PDB file of all heavy atoms in Angstrom:
ATOM      1  N   ALA A  11      25.499  -5.026   1.522  1.00 79.00           N
ATOM      2  CA  ALA A  11      24.867  -5.928   2.491  1.00 79.00           C
ATOM      3  C   ALA A  11      25.843  -6.375   3.573  1.00 79.00           C
ATOM      4  O   ALA A  11      25.435  -6.688   4.687  1.00 79.00           O
ATOM      5  CB  ALA A  11      24.278  -7.133   1.770  1.00 79.00           C
ATOM      6  N   THR A  12      27.140  -6.413   3.274  1.00 86.00           N
ATOM      7  CA  THR A  12      28.108  -6.899   4.258  1.00 86.00           C
ATOM      8  C   THR A  12      28.817  -5.766   4.997  1.00 86.00           C
ATOM      9  O   THR A  12      29.714  -6.013   5.792  1.00 86.00           O
ATOM     10  CB  THR A  12      29.167  -7.787   3.570  1.00 86.00           C
ATOM     11  OG1 THR A  12      29.730  -7.031   2.493  1.00 86.00           O
ATOM     12  CG2 THR A  12      28.553  -9.060   3.016  1.00 86.00           C
ATOM     13  N   LEU A  13      28.432  -4.521   4.727  1.00 92.00           N
ATOM     14  CA  LEU A  13      29.089  -3.395   5.401  1.00 92.00           C
ATOM     15  C   LEU A  13      28.867  -3.445   6.908  1.00 92.00           C
ATOM     16  O   LEU A  13      27.773  -3.752   7.371  1.00 92.00           O
ATOM     17  CB  LEU A  13      28.510  -2.072   4.887  1.00 92.00           C
ATOM     18  CG  LEU A  13      29.017  -1.508   3.566  1.00 92.00           C
ATOM     19  CD1 LEU A  13      28.364  -0.158   3.309  1.00 92.00           C
ATOM     20  CD2 LEU A  13      30.524  -1.384   3.565  1.00 92.00           C
ATOM     21  N   SER A  14      29.895  -3.090   7.653  1.00 93.00           N
ATOM     22  CA  SER A  14      29.739  -2.986   9.107  1.00 93.00           C
ATOM     23  C   SER A  14      28.957  -1.719   9.444  1.00 93.00           C
ATOM     24  O   SER A  14      28.729  -0.868   8.580  1.00 93.00           O
ATOM     25  CB  SER A  14      31.116  -2.903   9.759  1.00 93.00           C
ATOM     26  OG  SER A  14      31.678  -1.642   9.448  1.00 93.00           O
ATOM     27  N   GLY A  15      28.587  -1.589  10.709  1.00 92.00           N
ATOM     28  CA  GLY A  15      27.883  -0.390  11.144  1.00 92.00           C
ATOM     29  C   GLY A  15      28.706   0.865  10.885  1.00 92.00           C
ATOM     30  O   GLY A  15      28.206   1.849  10.334  1.00 92.00           O
ATOM     31  N   ALA A  16      29.975   0.807  11.270  1.00 93.00           N
ATOM     32  CA  ALA A  16      30.833   1.991  11.115  1.00 93.00           C
ATOM     33  C   ALA A  16      31.003   2.334   9.641  1.00 93.00           C
ATOM     34  O   ALA A  16      30.932   3.500   9.236  1.00 93.00           O
ATOM     35  CB  ALA A  16      32.188   1.729  11.761  1.00 93.00           C
ATOM     36  N   ALA A  17      31.198   1.294   8.824  1.00 94.00           N
ATOM     37  CA  ALA A  17      31.390   1.542   7.390  1.00 94.00           C
ATOM     38  C   ALA A  17      30.098   2.081   6.765  1.00 94.00           C
ATOM     39  O   ALA A  17      30.140   2.917   5.854  1.00 94.00           O
ATOM     40  CB  ALA A  17      31.813   0.250   6.692  1.00 94.00           C
ATOM     41  N   SER A  18      28.949   1.614   7.270  1.00 94.00           N
ATOM     42  CA  SER A  18      27.671   2.111   6.753  1.00 94.00           C
ATOM     43  C   SER A  18      27.550   3.605   7.021  1.00 94.00           C
ATOM     44  O   SER A  18      27.127   4.385   6.164  1.00 94.00           O
ATOM     45  CB  SER A  18      26.501   1.382   7.422  1.00 94.00           C
ATOM     46  OG  SER A  18      26.566   0.002   7.187  1.00 94.00           O
TER      47      SER A  18
END
Side-chain angles (χ1 to χ4, degrees):
T12 54
L13 279 183
S14 70
S18 300

